[in-house]
Amino acid sequence: MVTSLTHVAVATLALLVLVWILQRVKLWTLRRLAQSAFPPERLAPGLAADFHPHIVQAGKTIISLMWVATLLVLVYLWLVYCLGQFPESAPWAEQLEEFLIALFLDFAKGALGALPGLVAVVIVFLIARWFVRLIRIVFDKVETGGLSLPWLERETARTTQTLLIMVVWLFALVAAYPYIPGSETDAFKGLSVLIGLMVTLGSTGIINQVISGLFVVYSKSVRPEDYVRVGDVEGEVIDVGFLATKLRTPRQEEITIPHSVLVGTATTNYSSLAGDNGMVVTTAVTIGYDVPWRQVHALLQLGAARTHGLRREPPPRVMQRELSDFYVQYLLLAHLEGVKSRAAVLSELHAQIQDAFNEFGTQIMSPHFESQPEKPVFVPKSEWHTPPAAPSDSSAGSVDSQQEAKKSVPSDE
């Protein structure tokens, strides 16, 4: 009994010493890990600044788990040794020892049995990764213009690349699934069914967004750097993603529009038909019938000519869009030199139009009559070419022809 107690005491002392040594090793390792700097030149750019705290935290967690596992193993071995020192508890020690040996043997047998499947999974993963890398190389060249494919356009290259990568990984998952250790067990199958059900029920809105996104991308209704108007939002397209499109407004605001909203809303694209003439900018004014329309045309064109950022060729033009009950609606169309200055140029154009009308004493208003005036409101022919409007050759020719026609008609006398 004295000998057994002596052995137990020595084993306990040895366990305490080992625990103290392990504690010191753990603290030293944690200090070294916290002091590591991870220089950016040795890692990927931005890794040291962005992921250093996460790397340190993950390292601390792994070291703590390893320390706890080692401590449990040492306590287990100490318990088996101490129980084996006494005849009464020796059977318990043998059972614990057999249990530990059986546990390690089962673990080793399972690891060796799963090794061929893991090798197959790794091979499938490497093949899929090689295909993904090849797809990225080809489609990056298409997107940058270094490679031209007749069935693929630059605007749809990134979306097509994403779809092909998803297909490759799905095929890789299907091919590697039978080789995953434990995939044939009922627990693994039940978990797979549960995950599939959760994804199916929770991804209805996401699938709608993805399908709408594919429609937006492949219909090319909006593209990056286009200037568009979606509902009440107007701005430059900065990104056409998989689920949403982002716009930058003239007030430097970033607006995110889900693709389902974009598909269901009328979208005006000011850039798609611009061509070499530049994007068209328009503005409308309503003027009363008592102002000569030629004068209004000239004043609007004068305001456009004084506006910086508008092209001189093709020249700005004015259209009489509507003859309303009380006024005429005039529409000015001009071409921008740059897309990004649309809001600023339009603001200056409005200011120049106001200055031009004020300079020549013409009021901008939309009159509404409460009663019929005593005399008809019209513009006499003598005021058709009120400055800055200039008489045109066609109008002069038409007047001369009318006078000649009057002379050629015989009188009643």
Side-chain angles (χ1 to χ4, degrees), residues 15-348:
L15 176 64
L16 295 176
V17 172
L18 289 176
V19 171
W20 181 81
I21 294 174
L22 288 175
Q23 182 69 18
R24 303 296 298 178
V25 172
K26 173 188 173 183
L27 295 177
W28 178 82
T29 307
L30 291 177
R31 284 197 301 267
R32 291 297 303 270
L33 180 64
Q35 294 173 358
S36 58
F38 296 105
E41 61 272 7
R42 296 184 182 180
L43 301 174
L47 185 60
D50 298 334
F51 296 102
H52 178 265
H54 304 284
I55 294 175
V56 172
Q57 185 62 35
K60 290 181 178 180
T61 303
I62 294 174
I63 292 173
S64 300
L65 291 176
M66 292 178 62
W67 182 82
V68 171
T70 305
L71 182 62
L72 291 176
V73 171
L74 289 177
V75 172
Y76 192 93
L77 294 176
W78 171 83
L79 181 60
V80 171
Y81 178 79
C82 292
L83 291 177
Q85 299 302 314
F86 304 96
E88 294 81 2
S89 60
W92 296 350
E94 292 178 0
Q95 292 179 3
L96 291 175
E97 186 176 1
E98 291 175 359
F99 173 76
L100 183 62
I101 294 174
L103 181 63
F104 278 109
L105 289 178
D106 292 341
F107 181 78
K109 187 185 298 184
L112 292 176
L115 189 60
L118 291 176
V119 172
V121 170
V122 170
I123 292 175
V124 172
F125 172 78
L126 293 177
I127 294 175
R129 187 178 180 183
W130 181 82
F131 273 106
V132 168
R133 186 174 298 177
L134 180 62
I135 290 172
R136 285 177 176 171
I137 292 174
V138 173
F139 281 84
D140 286 345
K141 289 186 177 180
V142 173
E143 189 174 4
T144 56
L147 179 64
S148 177
L149 297 177
W151 50 272
L152 184 64
E153 299 182 1
R154 295 178 58 181
E155 293 80 4
T156 60
R158 186 173 62 173
T159 303
T160 307
Q161 171 187 331
T162 304
L163 292 176
L164 289 178
I165 290 176
M166 291 176 59
V167 170
V168 168
W169 283 119
L170 287 176
F171 273 106
L173 180 60
V174 172
Y177 181 84
Y179 300 99
I180 298 176
S183 59
E184 69 282 355
T185 61
D186 294 337
F188 195 94
K189 293 178 181 178
L191 181 61
S192 302
V193 172
L194 178 61
I195 294 176
L197 182 62
M198 293 173 60
V199 171
T200 302
L201 295 178
S203 62
T204 304
I206 297 178
I207 296 300
N208 184 24
Q209 297 290 351
V210 171
I211 298 301
S212 301
L214 294 178
F215 175 80
V216 170
V217 171
Y218 286 100
S219 65
K220 293 180 290 186
S221 58
V222 294
R223 293 171 293 184
E225 299 184 359
D226 282 355
Y227 197 90
V228 300
R229 182 180 183 87
V230 182
D232 296 332
V233 180
E234 180 177 321
E236 180 188 1
V237 178
I238 57 178
D239 181 66
V240 181
F242 221 65
L243 301 177
T245 295
K246 294 183 178 181
L247 303 182
R248 180 170 54 232
T249 65
R251 293 178 291 183
Q252 296 302 311
E253 299 172 339
E254 183 178 293
I255 306 294
T256 301
I257 302 177
H259 283 157
S260 59
V261 176
L262 190 63
V263 171
T265 306
T267 303
T268 304
N269 194 324
Y270 298 100
S271 305
S272 59
L273 301 180
D276 297 333
N277 293 331
M279 187 171 62
V280 175
V281 61
T282 61
T283 186
V285 294
T286 53
I287 309 297
Y289 283 94
D290 56 335
V291 180
W293 65 265
R294 294 176 180 84
Q295 183 186 24
V296 177
H297 283 214
L299 290 173
L300 290 175
Q301 291 175 345
L302 177 61
R306 294 176 176 178
T307 303
H308 299 285
L310 293 180
R311 296 191 178 189
R312 301 297 176 260
E313 292 293 336
R317 63 185 186 277
V318 181
M319 302 174 62
Q320 295 182 202
R321 188 175 179 181
E322 184 180 357
L323 299 177
S324 299
D325 293 338
F326 308 114
Y327 49 78
V328 182
Q329 186 181 61
Y330 300 89
L331 182 67
L332 173 66
L333 297 93
H335 294 265
L336 288 174
E337 293 180 353
V339 178
K340 297 183 179 180
S341 59
R342 174 185 173 87
V345 173
L346 190 59
S347 175
E348 183 181 354

